Every structure is written in structure tokens, then in C-alpha cells.
Amino acid sequence: MTREEFDFLYEKKDFEALKPFKADNAIILSAGFASRFRPLSEYCPKALLKVRGEVLIERQIRQLKEAGIETIYVIVGYKKEMYEYLTEKYGVVLIENKEYQIRNNHSSIYAARDVMGNSYVCCSDNYFPVNVFTPYVYDSYYSALYAEGETSEFCMTADKTGRITRVTIGGNDSYYMLGHTYWSKSFTEKYLHYLSDAYAKPETADLYWENIYMDHLDELTMYLNPYKDGAILEFDNLEELCRFDPAYIKYSRTFDPADIPQ
């Protein structure tokens, strides 16, 4: 099926014909420590911070469910017990990444390998002002924002079809990786093969899952999915969070764990 045919069927709401493109689930990566959020992260994982009145990961779970994604897995590690309430409140399934302290985020993908298919792969600390998720997706993609001038982010080049053909660390006037991704079943199967090979090598411990993808761009088809500025937010440090939610300004001056928004 071509993208034009997919768009036509989606507009007609012919969901029977679109069944092969239905998202099976979402995988939310939330195992890490978020060291740049010290001292807050020593007491509460960044994903569980309340931002503008709503817990970050809860907002993302709610948006996924509103888009029809009912099966949601949360990959946990650091302070895993603090996520347990989500199973009762939202019906999510927690998967423990037992290697989060010695491996980078590719270990969370590895922990979820048995449940992945047509899957959204999300970061728990992203904030979407407007819901970006849809129940049917044409093909694998990485969401992107455009940076004018120089940036140190992972920058993408795409061909005329939108397929990502090159990724560099840093660039100028470029689309860069930020936010959620979508993995088709075929992409997932191929990627997990390369991940399995890499996982056996000690020198791969520090790799992001994106590094493994970048090593196999020719075999792993993923499209650049551009969003407008402000559609996807990520708080890399406390200063960025303070600018978005002034309630956190006091933590940059004095800190009392009891004051963390609940």
C-alpha cells in the first residue's frame, strides 16, 4: 500500500483495511536516573514530576490511551517501586531493566524485546502540549524539530521520500531527533537482530539505541516525521523545567524534598 492509499483510507476511516498499520502498543522508556536533575532526581524520577499540574508520564499515558493505544509498557529501573501505582491507575505493565546502571537506553529496548511489534517507543520525560499519537501509522519514523543555526543534537538528513539517509551528531540548520518514535513490525524484527548481536559485546554498553540504528541505516528504514516548533518539549535540566513551570524555580535556590509537587 502506498502512502497516498493509506492517507485515503484513513480519511475514509476504513479501519478494516488499515488493520496491518494498527499500533499494537507503546513502550515508554523510564529506567534512567536523570543525573542532570539532581537533587530532585535523588528523591523522585523525572518522569514522576508534576509539571503544570500533571505528572509527566501520566500525561503521556493518557494521551496514548486517548489515541486508542491501550497496551502500554513502562520500562523501569531507578526507583522502580515508585512506578507501581501506574499499574492500578492506568493498567500499564511494568518491565524491569535490570541493567540500567551499567548500560545505556538500548538495554531498555532489549528488556522490552518480547513485546515489541508495531510499537511506539517513547521517552517518559517528553511533554506534548497537543496529542501527537495516532492509532494507525504508515511506517517507522523518528519525530523531529528544526534547528536554525548550530546544534549539538542528533541531526538527520532525508531523501525526497522522507527516508532518513544520514544521522550526524551535531549540525547546522537541520532537523534533529526529539521525542517519540514509531517502529513497524518489520523494522522491529530487523533492529532486534542487530541489537542482539551488539548486546553480546562489552564495548557497546554506553550506546544509545539510536547508535545501533545509525550503524545500519541502509537496512533499517525509518522516516523523518517533522513537527512544528513547540509541539514536543523535553526538559534536559532543571533550568529548562523552571522556564516552563515556574513552580520549580525555588528548587534552583533551596531544596526541600517535602516540597516536590505530589
Side-chain angles (χ1 to χ4, degrees):
M1 184 184 298
T2 66
R3 189 179 295 271
E4 290 74 19
E5 291 169 333
F6 172 88
D7 291 340
F8 176 74
L9 292 171
Y10 198 92
E11 187 176 344
K12 285 184 59 180
K13 299 184 178 180
D14 187 349
F15 300 131
E16 184 65 29
L18 290 173
K19 270 187 177 180
F21 302 93
K22 178 74 169 66
D24 297 325
N25 55 44
I27 316 295
I28 303 179
L29 310 183
S30 197
F33 175 68
S35 59
R36 285 178 288 184
F37 261 75
R38 284 190 171 108
L40 269 69
S41 57
E42 294 177 3
Y43 299 90
C44 179
K46 182 164 61 164
L48 297 179
L49 293 176
K50 186 175 286 187
V51 177
R52 291 192 177 180
E54 193 168 12
V55 174
L56 274 175
I57 196 170
E58 288 191 32
R59 180 181 178 86
Q60 194 168 138
I61 291 169
R62 175 178 60 78
Q63 290 177 323
L64 284 162
K65 286 185 172 289
E66 287 174 354
I69 315 302
E70 292 296 330
T71 304
I72 300 172
Y73 299 92
V74 179
I75 314 304
V76 297
Y78 174 67
K79 291 191 178 296
K80 61 182 180 180
E81 67 283 352
M82 294 186 69
Y83 292 88
E84 291 176 356
Y85 79 97
L86 295 173
T87 62
E88 182 174 350
K89 188 172 183 178
Y90 295 104
V92 304
V93 178
L94 304 184
I95 297 177
E96 183 181 2
N97 174 1
K98 296 181 179 181
E99 298 187 289
Y100 78 94
Q101 295 185 77
I102 59 173
R103 287 183 172 272
N104 213 321
N105 71 354
H106 70 276
S107 60
S108 287
I109 300 294
Y110 192 78
R113 64 193 183 281
D114 292 336
V115 299
M116 296 183 69
N118 281 348
S119 301
Y120 280 104
V121 176
C122 309
C123 297
S124 62
D125 58 355
N126 285 146
Y127 185 100
F128 306 105
V130 177
N131 198 337
V132 296
F133 302 108
T134 59
Y136 298 88
V137 185
Y138 180 68
D139 210 337
S140 304
Y141 69 76
Y142 208 120
S143 55
L145 295 183
Y146 189 79
E148 293 185 357
E150 188 174 357
T151 177
S152 60
E153 301 287 351
F154 281 45
C155 296
M156 295 176 283
T157 302
D159 64 19
K160 62 182 180 180
T161 71
R163 186 182 187 279
I164 299 168
T165 56
R166 185 167 178 256
V167 181
T168 60
I169 301 175
N172 287 279
D173 299 325
S174 176
Y175 279 105
Y176 64 94
M177 294 175 165
L178 183 71
H180 58 296
T181 65
Y182 184 81
W183 300 25
S184 69
K185 288 181 179 177
S186 60
F187 178 94
T188 298
E189 182 179 353
K190 291 178 182 178
Y191 181 87
L192 291 180
H193 169 75
Y194 294 121
L195 175 61
S196 180
D197 286 346
Y199 216 80
K201 302 172 183 177
E203 64 269 21
T204 65
D206 290 335
L207 296 181
Y208 293 102
W209 75 257
E210 289 91 342
N211 292 120
I212 298 171
Y213 159 63
M214 290 160 59
D215 286 341
H216 302 282
L217 281 178
D218 291 341
E219 297 86 10
L220 296 171
T221 298
M222 182 170 273
Y223 292 86
L224 188 157
N225 191 12
Y227 287 85
K228 293 181 179 179
D229 188 39
I232 303 170
L233 302 177
E234 182 178 65
F235 312 112
D236 281 333
N237 52 57
L238 184 54
E239 287 184 9
E240 292 182 1
L241 180 57
C242 289
R243 287 196 292 270
F244 185 73
D245 188 345
Y248 283 90
I249 291 175
K250 59 187 174 184
Y251 300 116
S252 63
R253 300 167 183 163
T254 61
F255 178 71
D256 183 346
D259 290 335
I260 297 176
Q262 300 297 319

